[in-house]
Amino acid sequence: MAALAYNLGKREINHYFSVRSAKVLALVAVLLLAACHLASRRYRGNDSCEYLLSSGRFLGEKVWQPHSCMMHKYKISEAKNCLVDKHIAFIGDSRIRQLFYSFVKIINPQFKEEGNKHENIPFEDKTASVKVDFLWHPEVNGSMKQCIKVWTEDSVAKPHVIVAGAATWSIKIHNGSSEALSQYKMNITSIAPLLEKLAKTSDVYWVLQDPVYEDLLSENRKMITNEKIDAYNEAAVSILNSSTRNSKSNVKMFSVSKLIAQETIMESLDGLHLPESSRETSAMILMNVYCNKILKPVDGSCCQPRPPVTLIQKLAACFFTLSIIGYLIFYIIHRNAHRKNKPCTDLESGEEKKNIINTPVSSLEILLQSFCKLGLIMAYFYMCDRANLFMKENKFYTHSSFFIPIIYILVLGVFYNENTKETKVLNREQTDEWKGWMQLVILIYHISGASTFLPVYMHIRVLVAAYLFQTGYGHFSYFWIKGDFGIHRVCQVLFRLNFLVVVLCIVMDRPYQFYYFVPLVTVWFMVIYVTLALWPQIIQKKANGNCFWHFGLLLKLGVLLLFICFLAYSQGAFEKIFSLWPLSKCFELKGNVYEWWFRWRLDRYVVFHGMLFAFIYLALQKRQILSEGKGEPLFSNKISNFLLFISVVSFLTYSIWASSCKNKAECNELHPSVSVVQILAFILIRNIPGYARSVYSSFFAWFGKISLEIYFLLEPSL
């Protein structure tokens, strides 16, 4: 009875809770949570610039995380590009001078902190026409007021950015007296209207005073207490915020440095001045506040306005909306028809009669349903990537955040193991498994921000190369065996590779090269196709009749290798080819094809290696040199053991080299030539033992079937 009750209960639960109902519940939950989150952000405010200037926390020791948005780490070229023909002025005391030095070092890291500390310090970068000045005004007094007043005159060129702040000298000189605070309030009250006037045409920031580490202060600075600093900060905030009536002040409060100092002031050498790392963080925040809205970096969301919706995005939204409406109409019609066709009870016999008429599902309805699903997916992607609905956070790498998920998925992958349907080298289940675990590792790599850890970066580069190796192996094998060079096959593969990416480019308003891996795979597929399709067409069937054709194919591969080498070491020729219209529209990023050349060059030989491996493997297979039966080693025992030993040694040697890599540029230069060692070692270790070749992980293989989609939906940051 208990078993019967259990089975009945199980059926009842399965009747209401199925995979379909679980998907519906998940969709409803996501929509509700998104709506609640949107409402809370509207209530609390959605100005990421304000959050950047006033709030945040440290991730680890040096990574500053603003509330709800991501900071971009500006390179020298980016900073110069943003600040070209700009004038930035820093006005204040020694703390502002420190901020000035850190800001200038973003533009020119060789700039030295030297000269008279109590004087004005100019800086100019003539290549970008950037001027950054430090003006020594340690007190908020008439001298500072006069300096600011000059800029309010119409005939004087105004700085584009003004960063001002002072208080500690007033506390020190007047021994922390209450009269000094009163005078400070009067002086800042007289300066506030001038700053407000400047803020209408320039970006004006008032830097609040950082706390001090009182135990380290020298005797002549003991009067500078945190209590006094808080009083001066409160005075500055209240006066500057109330300088305009009935509207918000245009002078921005730079209060985030105070939070940074609270975490790092203990590392100060004198208790007053911040350590260099903290100053660099504050300077980078200033750079983000001003430059993010100009350069719009992909990995920086702070202070970026929501991008305007383009015409093509509007058309895409209309298309998906019409698809959803069309599908709903079909769904309602079918639901009504289903109700009419429900079984009815025969009053005479008491039995149910079933209507045998079934409403057919049209191909149009199936198509609309597919577009409906795609539209919902694209809408979710747009909300995550292009809208300001969800909060964003900088990636921060730790060993635990990377290796714990890796161990977890490996355990799951080993748990779900099954026998393969065939036991050939690189059979379909095995290649799906290979793609699956590689893609999951790359996914964890992206999420954990492991690109900052060079050994992990170099190993991930091998996984990307392995994916391209399989591209060369798979497409070469197909054309070599099938001999199908028809346009239908080409269109089928190109559609499979590019459909979702093209839709993403339209919906996200991104260039095609932004999803660089798909262009990379697409170009290499075309290279493989053209190499084999060009006269003379050499396929396995033709080569089996005459070994001469094998040499012909090797000659083709040799020419391909020379062509790859020529493009790899001739950047000018490469850029001329891909800068031609219409190729330039596909391969340009930020107005040039350098990024495309760099990405292509990183793995330039690996597809060729995959093609060569496929040729050698298929030739050995045709001559029955390999033993691919279930449980059999691939070669004789002696050869198998020797190759296994060599493979393990090669695998470990490469891993040690990659882990000890110190210079990213040098390792990237060696990577194209040596990555094949790790790939071939893995293939041999995985396929030489018969028992290893006969099983696969269904868990990894499932992910492998959608590996390409997962890859280009990730942030392309390798």
Side-chain angles (χ1 to χ4, degrees), residues 203-249:
D203 286 1
V204 180
Y205 304 95
W206 186 266
V207 182
L208 296 185
Q209 293 301 299
D210 303 327
V212 296
Y213 192 46
E214 297 179 11
D215 295 343
L216 282 179
L217 291 174
S218 59
E219 287 300 322
N220 63 338
R221 290 174 177 168
K222 286 294 184 182
M223 70 292 295
I224 308 175
T225 64
N226 287 322
E227 183 181 355
K228 293 291 182 183
I229 284 175
D230 290 339
Y232 276 71
N233 282 338
E234 288 175 12
V237 171
S238 62
I239 293 168
L240 291 172
N241 283 340
S242 62
S243 60
T244 56
R245 297 178 183 177
N246 304 323
S247 63
K248 187 177 179 181
S249 173

Side-chain angles (χ1 to χ4, degrees), residues 192-206:
L194 301 176
L195 292 174
E196 194 64 39
K197 185 177 180 180
L198 279 173
K200 293 178 181 178
T201 55
S202 304
D203 286 1
V204 180
Y205 304 95
W206 186 266

Side-chain angles (χ1 to χ4, degrees), residues 544-614:
N544 288 338
N546 190 341
C547 290
F548 171 78
W549 291 110
H550 285 94
F551 293 105
L553 181 63
L554 289 174
L555 182 62
K556 273 192 171 187
L557 293 179
V559 172
L560 173 61
L561 180 60
L562 290 175
F563 182 68
I564 292 170
C565 292
F566 170 73
L567 290 182
Y569 293 102
S570 179
Q571 183 181 349
F574 185 94
E575 291 182 351
K576 283 181 181 178
I577 293 172
F578 287 97
S579 294
L580 296 173
W581 190 90
L583 289 178
S584 60
K585 296 298 180 184
C586 295
F587 297 102
E588 279 187 355
L589 191 65
K590 298 178 181 178
N592 59 69
V593 296
Y594 172 78
E595 187 73 16
W596 165 236
W597 178 76
F598 174 76
R599 298 290 185 185
W600 175 87
R601 196 170 180 269
L602 272 177
D603 299 296
R604 57 188 179 271
Y605 300 129
V606 73
V607 173
F608 169 80
H609 291 147
M611 296 169 68
L612 187 61
F613 176 83

Side-chain angles (χ1 to χ4, degrees), residues 150-187:
V150 170
W151 289 328
T152 61
E153 298 173 2
D154 295 334
S155 60
V156 177
K158 303 170 182 62
H160 297 87
V161 181
I162 299 169
V163 182
T168 55
W169 268 66
S170 297
I171 300 173
K172 176 184 174 182
I173 292 174
H174 302 286
N175 202 29
S177 65
S178 57
E179 290 80 6
L181 178 58
S182 300
Q183 186 63 43
Y184 179 84
K185 291 178 180 179
M186 291 174 60
N187 291 337

Side-chain angles (χ1 to χ4, degrees), residues 480 535-547 549-550:
W480 175 250
W535 184 89
Q537 288 185 2
I538 304 172
I539 59 175
Q540 190 179 57
K541 186 177 180 180
K542 184 185 292 186
N544 288 338
N546 190 341
C547 290
W549 291 110
H550 285 94

